[in-house]
Amino acid sequence: MDQLTWKARAKINLGLDVLRKRPDGYHDLRMVMQTIDLYDEIALRVTESGAAGADTIGNGTAGDDAAIRLRVQGGGGLVTADSQNLAYRAAELLMKEFAIRQGLDITLTKKIPVAAGLAGGSTDAAAVLIAVNQLFDLGLDERELMERGVKLGADVPYCIMGGTALAEGIGEQLTRLPSVPQAHVLLAKPPIQVSTKFVYSNLRLGDSDAQSVRHPDIDAQVQAIREGDLYRMAELMGNVLETVTIPAFPVIGEIRDRMMHCGAVNAMMSGSGPTVFGLFDDPEKAREAYTELSKGELAGEVYLTEFYTPETVT
Ligand code: ATP
């Protein structure tokens, strides 16, 4: 095998709680993660070693001496095709460790909104790790890939695993959960930039603090998932980071309200935002909400998709 294409799927958080800030600056989290069927496409081809570089089609070329050549299509100019790209770094990590002599051509077609709370970069890294392992027959199992993935980002191990999972620690301690009953997932990203650093540094967690946050009940949500109860799971959706982002960027709350008005079972911001997702049990309502959000002024990017589980999507 010398070439491979891969779908690198995005995630949403059905629940996101922040427990505490750690001495190393990271936060201890508890998150319910769910893969959705919105993906970047990654095509990989093994080449003879030698000429390599990185370029963004239409955006010039960034030369490089490595044997990895990366092209990026899409991404609205926000994703550079250089050695900082997580897809590049993932290939480099394994190719260096295993002293691979051949080269690799990677074409990354971005479809997942960038810096959106959907783990776009992490899922690209996960996909490249999996693909490089296969292409060069490295023989790494899932756990071994995850150990390497966490060096690239806390969400990368989850993206390698995919499906429904509870993520703890900084996001790297994973417990697989049963698949959530299928739902239609409407995503809407307002045309704003929200820095993850801003969100975490403005989060107030202190118990005695007047502004202290209401924590979602992650254990109860996990239980609802184990029972296969979509409605109870949705009722228990909560993201503590909304306590920072909604006051700072009211459009996030407005999109959520609009989705609820359109008949969503529930709606919430994913990750540190700013993308909001709504879950719908009725395809008609989901489609109407998609049309409504698409023509409105609140969201720049709107997508209608569904949960990804290996059983439902090929
Ligand atoms: P998370 O949900 O994990 O916080 P996110 O969806 O908010 O992630 P990403 O789309 O992963 O954010 O992008 C964050 C930044 O990472 C971008 O601004 C971009 O500069 C950088 N980046 C590096 N590689 C990639 C990649 N392959 N795809 C997207 N962004 C990338």
Side-chain angles (χ1 to χ4, degrees):
M1 178 174 35
D2 64 358
Q3 57 186 13
L4 193 52
T5 56
W6 208 268
K7 291 178 178 175
R9 291 186 171 84
K11 63 85 183 158
I12 53 174
N13 298 97
L14 297 172
L16 193 161
D17 195 15
V18 181
L19 305 184
R20 66 188 76 81
K21 186 169 180 176
R22 309 177 354 161
D24 62 8
Y26 286 97
H27 289 80
D28 275 323
L29 309 171
R30 294 192 86 213
M31 304 184 285
V32 177
M33 320 286 282
Q34 174 63 50
T35 309
I36 54 173
D37 201 25
L38 173 71
Y39 50 83
D40 293 340
E41 278 168 348
I42 306 185
L44 304 101
R45 191 170 59 85
V46 177
T47 60
E48 293 308 311
S49 183
D55 63 273
T56 306
I57 287 179
N59 274 342
T61 301
D64 197 277
D65 287 336
I68 302 163
R69 184 177 180 85
L70 173 67
R71 293 184 194 82
V72 176
Q73 309 183 38
L78 296 170
V79 184
T80 52
D82 57 19
S83 57
Q84 290 312 300
N85 192 297
L86 283 163
Y88 186 101
R89 290 179 55 208
E92 184 181 48
L93 188 147
L94 287 186
M95 290 173 74
K96 272 195 175 153
E97 180 182 341
F98 289 87
I100 291 166
R101 292 251 167 265
Q102 291 151 293
L104 188 66
D105 254 8
I106 307 173
T107 303
L108 167 61
T109 306
K110 289 296 300 180
K111 293 184 177 161
I112 302 171
V114 180
L118 300 173
S122 304
T123 197
D124 293 344
V128 171
L129 291 175
I130 295 168
V132 169
N133 185 40
Q134 288 193 12
L135 280 171
F136 296 107
D137 220 358
L138 304 181
L140 298 171
D141 63 23
E142 188 176 85
R143 187 185 49 79
E144 291 167 326
L145 284 176
M146 287 177 176
E147 281 165 13
R148 288 157 177 84
V150 75
K151 296 179 191 164
L152 300 169
D155 283 346
V156 176
Y158 163 70
C159 292
I160 292 171
M161 177 190 253
T164 311
L166 172 67
E168 297 173 285
I170 61 169
E172 88 295 10
Q173 293 167 24
L174 298 166
T175 308
R176 175 165 299 290
L177 298 174
S179 299
V180 172
Q182 195 49 271
H184 304 276
V185 182
L186 180 65
L187 300 165
K189 178 180 177 286
I192 55 172
Q193 301 292 323
V194 178
S195 122
T196 303
K197 194 164 171 244
F198 165 85
V199 175
Y200 278 96
S201 58
N202 284 284
L203 183 64
R204 301 283 168 265
L205 291 170
D207 287 340
S208 56
D209 194 320
Q211 305 171 48
S212 76
V213 301
R214 246 190 52 166
H215 294 267
D217 190 341
I218 299 290
D219 287 329
Q221 191 178 44
V222 166
Q223 187 55 30
I225 291 171
R226 291 195 188 285
E227 288 165 9
D229 188 338
L230 175 70
Y231 298 98
R232 179 80 182 129
M233 182 285 289
E235 192 183 314
L236 289 159
M237 277 165 38
N239 180 350
V240 285
L241 303 180
E242 285 185 345
T243 60
V244 178
T245 56
I246 291 182
F249 305 98
V251 66
I252 294 171
E254 287 165 30
I255 292 176
R256 203 183 58 180
D257 293 347
R258 188 73 60 90
M259 288 189 184
M260 294 306 290
H261 184 75
C262 289
V265 177
N266 206 350
M268 189 179 94
M269 184 182 79
S270 182
S272 56
T275 306
V276 177
F277 67 91
L279 302 184
F280 291 80
D281 57 357
D282 178 343
E284 279 298 307
K285 283 185 185 157
R287 175 64 43 199
E288 281 166 26
Y290 172 81
T291 306
E292 164 86 11
L293 268 297
S294 300
K295 69 173 187 234
E297 70 298 342
L298 297 176
E301 294 175 73
V302 185
Y303 303 88
L304 187 54
T305 182
E306 53 188 18
F307 295 145
Y308 172 78
T309 57
E311 298 80 41
T312 58
V313 185
T314 53

